[in-house]
Amino acid sequence: MIRLFVLLFSFSVSVLAGTFPPDKVDELVATSLPLLEEYLARNPQKNCTPETAVRRKEWGDLSKQERRDYTDAVLCLQSKPALMSSSFAPGARTRFDDYVVIHMVQTERNHDSSFFLPWHRYYLWHYENALRTECGYSGYQPYWDWGRYAANPLDSPLFNGDEFSLSGNGEPVPHRGITVPGAPAPWDVIPPGEGGGCVTTGPFKNMTVNLGPRLQLALDVEPNPQKDGLGYNPRCLRRDINKNAATVTTTSHIYDLITQNTNAYWFQTVLEGQFAEGKWGVHAGGHFTVSGDPGGDFYVSPGDPVFYLHHAQIDRVWWIWQMQNLTQRLFEISKTRTMGNNPPSPNGTLDDLTNLGILAGDVEVRDLMSTMGGLDGRLCYMYE
Ligand SMILES: *[C@@H]1O[C@H](CO)[C@@H](O)[C@H](O)[C@H]1NC(C)=O
Ligand SMILES: *[C@@H]1O[C@H](CO)[C@@H](O)[C@H](O)[C@H]1NC(C)=O
Ligand SMILES: *[C@@H]1O[C@H](CO)[C@@H](O)[C@H](O)[C@H]1NC(C)=O
Ligand SMILES: [Cu+2]
């Protein structure tokens, strides 16, 4: 009887939400919302309430028109001149490139450190704002729920290559797999997918990648004229959509990450991957599901537009994790101020400052912890 009810219930929800029935992570969101409302009632956050908060949606739940509006806005950002000075970054040609440069020059501060989650939250929000204010986009930043498509990412509304996707795979070019630093065999190499060449379908088929590469990739890519990757190096967007990497981003992986890690240290550690133990984690897993150039480059990865949907899902998973115990987790950070604590540094604190270079000035990490009222109420969003 209960089973029948659950079946009927999920059936009716799936009809409402389109073709994707709620999975067990979506159910965690549903059960958390009353806790969030109760917390906000006790701790009001700058006029941000579930009624006023905007909703970031999953790509597959957007209508075709909404998907097209999003990619049009990204193409618009790619058509506007950079703010970044060309003496600082000769490869920064467009407003889209400005964001790539900011990520490149701050990579070693904002990964495997106390800044990782809050900084990327700030970065995404700023990019979403640029799409809206500079390119007339009226929606919000969509996310990519890896779990929905982990079995076959190529056959997804993100990567199927149609005009409503984020463009598809690269042309087939034989290439080696991805080396995972420090991982023991057989996890030291992610076997390659069937792409690797230039993307030839969908909205980004004509896109020019200007910056990078910074790292040695598995692909044959023209090296950047500058060692720091900031030189001008125009080339096609390459991808290798890789289901071998997606195996670590299933809904079960996401669910376990959220429910089995009860402090910020372990939550972030498992999310970012424990390479020495052969665990890639959902962060690297998602990046390497797209891979290619610049998607597979730790520094330059925001140069593939899918980056922002991947990191929106990272931000969503953090948000869901925070909601499981807001009293403890809303303002809980971990790790030190330097990547991998190298060189050694003190534990990060909520008073630490972080910025987006020329795009946005210093804010306290504390101001980035809540999507419901952070940045003096300018952060006010939820994920569906
Ligand atoms: C790509 O560029 C060609 C030539 O300029 C143009 O005809 C075509 O519409 C462009 N395609 C997309 C998806 O922007
Ligand atoms: C939330 O965290 C607090 C502080 O660590 C703890 O006392 C409480 O039991 C937790 N609540 C739940 C529901 O886990
Ligand atoms: C830094 O944080 C870790 C847990 O993330 C904790 O075990 C350690 O005691 C902290 N160090 C200092 C100096 O507070
Ligand atoms: Cu990053």
Side-chain angles (χ1 to χ4, degrees):
M1 188 60 203
I2 290 180
R3 199 175 222 171
L4 181 66
F5 175 75
V6 169
L7 268 176
L8 286 173
F9 178 75
S10 22
F11 177 70
S12 56
V13 171
S14 73
V15 167
L16 289 176
T19 47
F20 299 95
D23 61 33
K24 56 186 180 171
V25 175
D26 299 322
E27 278 158 20
L28 271 184
V29 174
T31 56
S32 309
L33 292 179
L35 303 174
L36 177 64
E37 297 209 18
E38 185 210 5
Y39 181 87
L40 292 172
R42 280 185 285 115
N43 307 275
Q45 311 272 317
K46 311 278 183 193
N47 299 327
C48 180
T49 67
E51 289 72 44
T52 62
V54 306
R55 301 299 196 269
R56 291 184 177 173
K57 298 180 188 175
E58 212 280 332
W59 185 257
D61 293 336
L62 297 180
S63 69
K64 287 184 170 175
Q65 184 61 48
E66 288 171 323
R67 291 181 210 159
R68 199 44 181 270
D69 289 346
Y70 180 78
T71 54
D72 280 351
V74 174
L75 289 167
C76 156
L77 217 53
Q78 292 177 346
S79 73
K80 293 197 180 253
L83 298 175
M84 199 70 67
S85 91
S86 59
S87 55
F88 178 67
R93 299 296 162 118
T94 73
R95 282 288 289 120
F96 180 83
D97 292 340
D98 286 339
Y99 289 88
V100 183
V101 170
I102 298 294
H103 188 273
M104 289 173 74
V105 300
Q106 296 199 15
T107 294
E108 289 165 28
R109 196 184 312 165
N110 296 322
H111 296 88
D112 195 10
S113 74
S114 56
F115 296 108
F116 175 66
L117 292 166
W119 183 85
H120 281 86
R121 178 169 281 174
Y122 192 20
Y123 181 72
L124 249 62
W125 169 77
H126 202 276
Y127 177 83
E128 175 187 60
N129 238 28
L131 295 175
R132 290 174 55 79
T133 60
E134 297 175 44
C135 285
Y137 177 54
S138 60
Y140 296 93
Q141 178 58 49
Y143 66 93
W144 161 25
D145 181 354
W146 322 293
R148 281 187 177 183
Y149 318 111
N152 190 0
L154 264 179
D155 184 26
S156 71
L158 291 108
F159 303 121
N160 66 18
D162 73 18
E163 59 182 314
F164 309 108
S165 70
L166 295 164
S167 285
N169 208 0
E171 300 256 81
V173 171
H175 60 283
R176 59 183 193 277
I178 299 155
T179 306
V180 182
W187 298 286
D188 55 338
V189 177
I190 304 177
E194 284 152 21
C198 297
V199 165
T200 58
T201 57
F204 299 113
K205 70 175 178 189
N206 287 343
M207 180 184 154
T208 304
V209 177
N210 295 322
L211 292 147
R214 170 73 198 264
L215 298 179
Q216 192 77 40
L217 300 171
L219 305 171
D220 195 16
V221 176
E222 191 67 19
N224 194 276
Q226 291 184 203
K227 199 161 173 276
D228 60 13
L230 295 175
Y232 182 48
N233 189 21
R235 61 199 190 279
C236 71
L237 174 68
R238 289 179 173 81
R239 282 186 184 153
D240 182 29
I241 307 290
N242 189 328
K243 62 181 169 188
N244 303 312
T247 55
V248 301
T249 63
T250 67
T251 300
S252 289
H253 285 89
I254 304 166
Y255 183 84
D256 290 351
L257 167 67
I258 294 169
T259 56
Q260 294 182 2
N261 297 290
T262 56
N263 65 42
Y265 177 83
W266 282 110
F267 172 70
Q268 188 180 330
T269 298
V270 172
L271 183 150
E272 282 196 87
Q274 299 148 280
F275 298 141
E277 292 164 44
K279 295 176 182 165
W280 303 333
V282 294
H283 173 248
H287 277 297
F288 289 138
T289 297
V290 180
S291 215
D293 169 47
D297 187 311
F298 186 42
Y299 292 81
V300 199
S301 51
D304 184 323
V306 77
F307 175 95
Y308 298 90
L309 287 91
H310 171 52
H311 265 276
Q313 166 77 345
I314 296 280
D315 190 61
R316 171 176 178 259
V317 169
W318 180 29
W319 174 75
I320 302 171
W321 181 84
Q322 288 182 305
M323 283 198 295
Q324 305 311 301
N325 188 338
L326 287 160
T327 320
Q328 183 202 322
R329 299 182 185 174
L330 189 57
F331 291 98
E332 187 188 3
I333 56 165
S334 81
K335 307 236 173 192
T336 72
R337 292 188 195 135
T338 46
M339 181 165 73
N341 197 27
N342 182 20
S345 61
N347 282 351
T349 73
L350 296 174
D351 300 325
D352 292 342
L353 299 174
T354 189
N355 65 60
L356 301 175
I358 66 154
L359 299 180
D362 279 337
V363 296
E364 289 180 4
V365 165
R366 173 183 290 100
D367 257 342
L368 300 167
M369 298 301 288
S370 174
T371 71
M372 300 291 291
L375 291 180
D376 226 6
R378 286 178 297 156
L379 293 188
C380 186
Y381 64 87
M382 298 166 59
Y383 289 94
E384 282 189 346

